[in-house]
Amino acid sequence: MQDASHRFVDLNGQPFHYLEWGREEAPVLLFLHGFPEYSGAWGEVASRLADSYRCIAPDQRGFGQSWAPQEVSAYEMRELVGDMAALIDTLDQKVTVVGHDWGAATAYGLAMFRPELVSRLIIINGVHPAPFQRELAAGGAQTSASQYIRFLRAEGSEDKLSANDFESLMKLFSAKMDLSWLSGERLELYKAEWSRPGRLKAMINWYRASPLKVALPGEALSDVPALRKDRLQVRCPHLLIWGDNDTALLPQCIEGLEEYAPDLTVEHVGDADHWICHQKPDLVAGLIRSWLESQPG
């Protein structure tokens, strides 16, 4: 697989780090990682696409070698979207945005609120905010599966997760899913990123800053603000790749997605879970390539 180049750039006056694969003149794929990963999480997929695309994977705010302010308010969605909008501005072209987990939240934000920057949207086991909030508030299966959010938002959760060589973070990371891919040298690289000063707190601040409300199991919330459907539309072509064995994000979270994304293609993968990009990188890269090649223009 092709090795990545390390790049550093100032975005809105702050330092950010990203990895890059492929030729500078090729069409850009912008890869956005989730929690608790970093730019290197995309290496397996991006390197498989680098023959045809310029693949750029930043450490998002609070992660890896990028800027990591400690205030919770610094992780509100408008700030996260602003970072990536600034990065796209440096590229002088519209891009295809690929997001996984929390990276999907930023990717959806770009597609919804900065559509002039996004030509196509690819989400991999990530959720649109409206269906996700509906399920978080319902008190059902997704509410139960998302109780870890309440734990993460609590003061000092970063200290509990980092104790005993990140023992609790590893348990949270697996969530009864296949984590066999995270071992050896790769695990040491992940732990090195988590160990950077202030990083784990900054990473968790994404959860603390989120306006999403999480009910208690069996207790539906009645005070969730209505989300305006017209403001949350994805108007560009949208591909969703979904590992069906995900235990953190359940299939209810993508029910009704077509109401927000009229040009939607869904690819289900029956023998993969939330960590599908690591479990099946050949398949994921192939699905991305074939869908992009099927798009006009």
Side-chain angles (χ1 to χ4, degrees):
M1 292 188 294
Q2 181 178 335
D3 290 335
S5 298
H6 289 263
R7 311 288 190 203
F8 292 88
V9 62
D10 278 355
L11 302 177
N12 299 318
Q14 301 297 339
F16 282 76
H17 166 261
Y18 66 90
L19 297 177
E20 181 175 343
W21 301 257
R23 296 174 291 107
E24 186 172 347
E25 65 273 15
V28 174
L29 303 183
L30 178 63
F31 290 89
L32 303 181
H33 66 82
F35 176 91
E37 300 199 89
Y38 69 109
S39 56
W42 287 110
E44 297 150 296
V45 173
S47 62
R48 287 166 166 81
L49 294 164
D51 60 325
S52 302
Y53 300 96
R54 181 184 179 190
C55 300
I56 294 176
D59 289 331
Q60 294 202 79
R61 178 185 296 215
F63 290 81
Q65 299 178 66
S66 289
W67 184 49
Q70 293 299 290
E71 303 83 9
V72 171
S73 61
Y75 295 90
E76 294 176 359
M77 186 51 61
R78 64 175 178 268
E79 305 292 346
L80 308 175
V81 170
D83 292 339
M84 294 302 102
L87 178 57
I88 296 171
D89 282 341
T90 70
L91 303 173
D92 295 321
Q93 61 174 285
K94 295 178 75 170
V95 305
T96 295
V97 181
V98 186
H100 171 258
D101 188 80
W102 264 112
T106 311
Y108 273 123
L110 283 166
M112 294 185 298
F113 306 127
R114 298 298 306 273
E116 75 280 6
L117 301 177
V118 182
S119 59
R120 297 173 182 86
L121 176 66
I122 300 172
I123 299 296
I124 306 168
N125 282 79
V127 288
H128 185 286
F132 191 41
Q133 178 61 91
R134 180 194 68 214
E135 296 302 321
L136 288 176
Q142 184 61 59
T143 301
S144 296
S146 295
Q147 290 303 298
Y148 69 91
I149 296 176
R150 300 169 66 89
F151 164 74
L152 288 174
R153 286 173 168 173
E155 184 177 355
S157 63
E158 57 270 19
D159 298 324
K160 296 177 182 177
L161 291 180
S162 62
N164 299 319
D165 195 27
F166 302 101
E167 179 182 3
S168 294
L169 180 56
M170 289 296 295
K171 290 179 180 177
L172 181 70
F173 203 1
S174 64
K176 302 178 182 177
M177 293 181 284
D178 176 18
L179 211 62
S180 61
W181 55 270
L182 187 59
S183 61
E185 182 181 0
R186 178 183 286 164
L187 177 57
E188 293 309 309
L189 288 171
Y190 271 71
K191 288 182 178 180
E193 298 299 336
W194 300 338
S195 298
R196 294 181 186 274
R199 285 307 185 274
L200 195 52
K201 179 180 179 180
M203 291 159 59
I204 294 170
N205 279 347
W206 283 55
Y207 290 92
R208 295 173 175 142
S210 170
L212 293 173
K213 293 190 174 184
V214 184
L216 291 170
E219 300 181 15
L221 295 176
S222 59
D223 61 343
V224 178
L227 299 177
R228 287 181 51 183
K229 187 176 293 186
D230 62 319
R231 294 196 66 243
L232 300 178
Q233 291 292 305
V234 175
R235 294 180 170 86
C236 65
H238 177 7
L239 170 65
L240 174 67
I241 301 173
W242 193 262
D244 287 335
N245 294 336
D246 197 332
T247 62
L249 299 175
L250 306 183
Q252 296 95 312
C253 292
I254 60 175
E255 293 177 0
L257 178 57
E258 64 279 359
E259 298 176 20
Y260 299 89
D263 190 353
L264 175 66
T265 301
V266 181
E267 294 284 355
H268 286 273
V269 181
D271 54 349
D273 59 41
H274 192 72
W275 308 113
I276 183 174
C277 294
H278 303 290
Q279 295 160 350
K280 294 185 176 293
D282 285 323
L283 176 62
V284 170
L287 289 172
I288 291 173
R289 186 187 298 273
S290 62
W291 182 75
L292 288 173
E293 291 175 350
S294 73
Q295 295 297 305

